[in-house]
Structures are given as structure tokens and as C-alpha cells.
Amino acid sequence: MKKAFIFDLDGVIVDTAKFHYLAWRNLAKGINFDFTEEQNEQFKGVSRVRSLELLLDMANYTATQEEKDIWLVQKNEEYLSYIKKMDQSEILPDVPRVLKHLLSKKQGVALGSASKNARPILERVALLDKFQAIVDGNDVTIAKPNPEVFIKGAQALQTQNVDCIVFEDSIAGVQAANTAGMISIGIGNAEVLHEADHVFANFTQISNEFLDHLIER
Ligand code: BG6
Ligand code: MG
């Protein structure tokens, strides 16, 4: 039996969600807006451009296109300055064990991320070679919660949507997986991710037996 396991990147494989938050928070400070971690939940899985729109809405700030263009570059530059310092220690607990188990069982493994920085991040943490397909923010035209990113991942692995299992830390990503008819596994807070088929605090809670059960179902 072959399934396709599609992993989100930020907040699932690596702990980069905190870097995105820091960069947005600093930008928000510049327009006197106090951007909270709770508000940041809505930004997870959401594209860079859409995130800025959300932030400006929250701050009730009407920006010119020129301001928006400058801020998008500024946010990404700050984010990249954090990424540059990353190493394998930023890989979230037990992600390597789960990848190893799935690959040993000859399952499909793909990345499905909204980030345009996905490949350089995977390179930095030396995980690039674990993925048979990578679909990222450079490949999609419609962002999560639209399922395009995961549907493209399934196609790349020549797998039907019903045979795909998605790991996601964002509400938008869980909704995208559900809309595609895939099994959604939330990684994080069960209250926030209540729409997911299963929720685990992190990968240490996901046993090899549970993975085998997903493979065989
Ligand atoms: C998602 C993150 O994975 O990628 C979002 O959860 C982020 O927070 C989005 O905005 C786009 O990332 P990037 O690296 O292209 O700015
Ligand atoms: Mg994420």
C-alpha cells in the first residue's frame, strides 16, 4: 500500500513560525500596532502578500502600494537574517524519525508549503534530499486554504487525494487538506486546529504504529 505524506514546512518541520512572527511584529511596531501571538495564528500558512494585507487590516492602516512593496521586502529581509543562522537544531523533535520511518516503508513524501523560502530552508537543515516532491510558494497561484498546493503535491507523487495525509500547523492548511479530501493531521494546539482529523502536540506524540495504521487504512 502506498500513501503520500505531505508535510507543511514552517511550524511542522522547522521552528520558523517564531521567525515569521518576529519579523511581522517588528514591522507592525513601525505603524504603532501591537501584533500579538494570538493574532499571529491567522497568519500561519498564509502567503506573504496576504499576511501583510491582514496586518494592515488589523492595524486599520491604509497603505500605498509603494509602502506595501517596501514592507514586503523589509519583512523578508529580516526573516532571511534569522534563517541564515539556522542549522539542524531547528528541526522539530522526531521529524527525522517520522521521515525515516515513512521512507523505510516506501511511502511517498512531499513538501507542501506556502513559503517562497522553502528550498533554502530545507538545504540549511539538510533535509532537502528526504522529499520526493517539493511544492512551495513559487509553484502555487492560490494560497491555502485553497487546496492547490496539496493537490499539486499529490499529482507530483502520482497519488489520489484520498490516499494523501497532510501534516499542518495552520488553520488555513488544515482547511486546505480537508477541502482536497485528504486526511489532515494538525500539529499544535487541539483547540486551534479542531477542524483536523487528528491533532498531536508534536511529532513525539505520533508513533510508528500510528503511521503504519495510516499506511494500511
Ligand atoms: C507559510 C508560513 O509556511 O509561508 C507563513 O506559515 C508565511 O507564515 C508563508 O507567510 C510565506 O512564507 P515566505 O517565506 O514566502 O514569506
Ligand atoms: Mg505552517
Side-chain angles (χ1 to χ4, degrees), residues 144-186:
K144 299 170 190 175
N146 187 285
E148 184 188 8
V149 62
F150 297 138
I151 291 173
K152 284 197 167 159
Q155 283 167 350
L157 295 179
Q158 296 178 323
T159 309
Q160 299 292 318
N161 290 1
V162 288
D163 291 323
C164 292
I165 297 102
V166 171
F167 295 107
E168 256 294 346
D169 71 317
S170 73
I171 302 166
V174 165
Q175 290 170 342
N178 290 347
T179 303
M182 301 175 175
I183 302 278
S184 55
I185 303 195

Side-chain angles (χ1 to χ4, degrees), residues 8-11 16-17 20-21 24 40 42-52 72 75-76 79-80 83 112-118 121 137-138 144 168-170:
D8 173 47
L9 175 71
D10 295 311
T16 44
H20 281 295
Y21 172 61
W24 286 125
N40 185 57
Q42 290 176 53
F43 283 52
K44 290 185 178 174
V46 174
S47 73
R48 202 181 308 163
V49 172
R50 181 76 194 118
S51 298
L52 179 61
L72 286 172
K75 187 269 170 178
N76 198 48
Y79 180 66
L80 289 177
I83 296 309
S113 167
S115 174
K116 295 190 172 178
N117 297 305
I121 291 171
N138 302 295
K144 299 170 190 175
E168 256 294 346
D169 71 317
S170 73

